[in-house]
Amino acid sequence: MSVNERSATYPAAPASKGSGLKKIVAASMVGTVVEWYEFFLYATAATLVFGKYFFPATGNELDGIMQAFLTYAVGFVARPLGGIVFGQIGDKLGRKPTLQLTIIIIGVSTFLMGCLPGFATLGYLAPALLVLLRFIQGFALGGEWGGAVLLVAEHSPNKSRGFWSSWPQAAVPVGNLLATLVLYIMSNVLSSADFLSWGWRVAFWLSAVIVFVGYYIRTHVSESPIFLEAKAQLEKEQAVSYGVREVIRKYPKGILQAMGLRFAENIMYYLVVSFAIVYLKTVHKYDTSSLLLALLIAHVIHFLVIPQVGRLVDSWGRKPVYLVGAITGAAWPFLAFPMFDTRNPVVIVLAVTIGLCLHAFMYAGQPALMSELFPTRMRYAGVSLGSQVTSIFAGSLAPLLATQWLKDTGSWLPTAVYLLVACVITTVAVLSLKETKGIALEEVDRADAEREGLAVAAAR
């Protein structure tokens, strides 16, 4: 029996139809926008502000930026720990309470960042406190992504899971868009001195307001029926385990495949949205407002493109769409950096926008593809581990390494080769996968039960 034939025996739950599914998508997106607004706010501020404000001057602008990127990387190191802790909680207690907790933690830590005095006031205590808050922020975010996308994926119909679960992905550029927009407005309204002194803080303080909105909306969503069934089975059948330890023991291949999928996508994204700013600002002395405007335009288009690619994931299949992103992503830097060197605003916006559109071919299908790698009883843990562990040696290091190579060689070529190699690794990971377009998540649970000799999902 084929995957599609088997999947046809598992209809989507009634709660996943119509307005119910749209409500769940909206709730997932709003919370995700809030949390990624705060996370990406740090990324942009690290490039534009933190290198000067929280670290001593060395006479080389790139030194401060690299130090800021090191604190930026701390958040990525914390994310797998958050993925482990919240993945365990999410698989045991549920996606909803976990997401409510993560949004509060990330909101408080971001607000406090906006209150920190700089190096001139506290000396090295200032960057130390910044690192601590960044760690807490990253820890919370490590549990956010898996829960947000699974809440939608587990409610979605089998034939359109790629499309519906791509919407939380589309919320990420919206969060980045809002962060960029606030900083863009402040940088235009204020003088450079005022922006560096206090203007940037406003964007961080706004988190105290929007976090309440996200939390409130997340109180009005329901758990997916498939999760509630799996939870009931876990309580009934003590031989069935869940969470981090179990997924590492039983599905190491799935975790490695998820990590491979994430590798090039994560590197490419941070090269486009972070290192592109560094390159244009330090090499071509491009002004801050123009850089932020370019990102604003690109984020809007990225948001619009992601759900459309999600449709392709359901029609073409998971693997073909992902391969398009991995192969074309490898070519992007060889096209983009010469475009940056023109210093033409239109060409620069086009280069950044192309990068994010190609990135969408990898990013849009991740929730559907990764959710289909793991059974429900350990899906939160598996998806979180595969995604967040990769961020340590992918997204966290990408802007730092690229900046160091730029400092050492004065060239963008090492960075282009770096992304090319990453895309080859991701291509291999995609080719190792089975095509799961249209598969029912209940079928994944049944296969897991048969593999373990258990009675899980036998009655579905």
Side-chain angles (χ1 to χ4, degrees), residues 4 12 47 65 76 88 92 134 167 200 230 232 262-263 266 285 302 311 328 346 354 381 399 401 414 420 432-433:
N4 289 336
T47 303
I65 293 174
F76 286 87
Q88 193 80 5
K92 183 177 183 180
R134 176 61 173 172
W167 280 100
W200 62 271
R262 180 76 162 151
F263 190 59
N266 200 224
K285 308 302 178 185
H302 196 208
R311 292 185 186 277
T328 58
V346 175
I354 290 173
L401 290 174
L420 172 63
S432 73
L433 294 168

Side-chain angles (χ1 to χ4, degrees), residues 3 251-263 313 317-323 326 361-362 365-374 386 425-437 439:
V3 167
Y251 288 86
K253 181 181 178 181
I255 294 175
L256 289 175
Q257 288 173 321
M259 291 173 68
L261 293 173
R262 180 76 162 151
F263 190 59
V313 169
R318 282 44 167 156
K319 292 177 64 173
V321 173
Y322 219 105
L323 285 172
F361 277 81
M362 292 185 280
Q366 272 186 14
L369 217 168
M370 289 189 184
S371 67
E372 292 157 359
L373 285 174
F374 306 101
I425 293 172
T426 290
T427 298
V428 172
V430 175
L431 293 175
S432 73
L433 294 168
K434 294 180 180 179
E435 179 58 62
T436 53
K437 180 183 75 171
I439 193 173

Side-chain angles (χ1 to χ4, degrees), residues 145-146 149-150 152-154 156-169 261 309-311 313-314 317-319 322 362-374 379 383 433-441 444:
W145 183 81
V149 298
L150 290 184
V152 178
E154 291 179 341
S156 299
N158 301 326
K159 293 183 178 180
S160 56
R161 185 177 298 118
F163 170 70
W164 289 111
S165 63
S166 71
W167 280 100
Q169 301 291 75
L261 293 173
V309 176
R311 292 185 186 277
V313 169
D314 288 321
R318 282 44 167 156
K319 292 177 64 173
Y322 219 105
M362 292 185 280
Y363 198 55
Q366 272 186 14
L369 217 168
M370 289 189 184
S371 67
E372 292 157 359
L373 285 174
F374 306 101
R379 182 172 293 125
V383 167
L433 294 168
K434 294 180 180 179
E435 179 58 62
T436 53
K437 180 183 75 171
I439 193 173
L441 296 181
V444 178

